[in-house]
């Protein structure tokens, strides 16, 4: 797995493609997904799941807190195809199972973060962290961010 984060004007694409969710638990009011790369994804129970298109707004977005935990486990115990975090605080993860996990930028999302060990990679309130040393490639310019 490449550890390069791709940066666009309004979002970052985190290097989680091809990783697999190995553990799903509810801890402290958050849903925690442990990924085989050592990453943990934590979202509030107001995060939403959908089996359909996010763009269509067809009413299939369902808050985790309203779903049966067994269905949540079945939906998310899968390979991650895409993990996008918005500079606005939004989060979208697409799974091979066809399900999408979404934290909208205008929803609570308390505790939403992506961490490796105890070090944050991304937090909803603080954005992207450089503490893990992942290189960031500026996709708007086609060169690593900070290179002049």
């Amino acid at each position: 797995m490449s550890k390069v984060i791709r940066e666009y004007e309004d979002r970052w694409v985190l290097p989680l493609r091809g990783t697999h969710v190995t553990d799903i638990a509810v801890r402290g009011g958050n849903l925690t997904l442990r990924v085989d790369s050592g990453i943990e994804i934590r979202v509030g129970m107001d995060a939403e799941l959908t089996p359909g298109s996010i763009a269509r707004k067809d009413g299939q977005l369902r808050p985790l807190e309203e779903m049966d935990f067994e269905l949540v486990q079945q939906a998310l115990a899968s390979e991650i195809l895409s993990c996008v975090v918005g500079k606005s605080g939004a989060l979208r993860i697409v799974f091979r199972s066809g399900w999408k996990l979404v934290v909208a930028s205008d929803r609570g999302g308390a505790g939403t973060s992506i961490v490796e060990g105890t070090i944050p990679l991304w937090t909803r309130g603080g954005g992207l962290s450089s503490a893990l040393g992942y290189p960031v490639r500026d996709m708007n310019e086609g060169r690593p961010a900070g290179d002049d």
Side-chain angles (χ1 to χ4, degrees):
M1 173 184 83
S2 166
K3 292 209 174 202
V4 174
I5 296 169
R6 292 177 294 161
E7 181 175 15
Y8 295 88
E9 186 175 318
D10 61 344
R11 67 195 180 283
W12 295 283
V13 178
L14 301 184
L16 295 179
R17 181 178 184 82
T19 61
H20 293 81
V21 175
T22 59
D23 185 52
I24 301 169
V26 176
R27 296 185 184 105
N30 286 335
L31 182 76
T32 300
L33 306 177
R34 184 166 294 135
V35 180
D36 59 7
S37 65
I39 296 280
E40 277 192 5
I41 301 163
R42 301 172 186 156
V43 298
M45 294 304 288
D46 61 344
E48 297 173 305
L49 268 177
T50 182
S53 169
I54 296 167
R56 282 201 319 251
K57 306 279 188 214
D58 55 12
Q60 291 191 45
L61 283 171
R62 295 174 49 197
L64 293 171
E65 60 201 356
E66 296 177 7
M67 296 180 70
D68 179 68
F69 185 66
E70 193 170 305
L71 175 60
V72 171
Q73 288 180 305
Q74 290 173 1
L76 302 181
S78 182
E79 178 184 1
I80 294 175
L81 298 180
S82 173
C83 180
V84 178
V85 293
K87 294 180 180 180
S88 64
L91 166 71
R92 182 187 74 234
I93 303 173
V94 178
F95 296 88
R96 181 158 307 279
S97 64
W99 288 81
K100 291 97 184 158
L101 178 65
V102 179
V103 176
S105 60
D106 61 349
R107 300 230 8 174
T112 299
S113 62
I114 299 176
V115 299
E116 187 171 330
T118 60
I119 303 170
L121 174 58
W122 175 83
T123 60
R124 182 163 189 173
L128 193 66
S129 168
S130 61
L132 289 168
Y134 284 45
V136 178
R137 176 163 304 279
D138 184 341
M139 301 308 287
N140 299 307
E141 299 293 327
R143 58 184 168 80
D147 284 1
D148 292 323

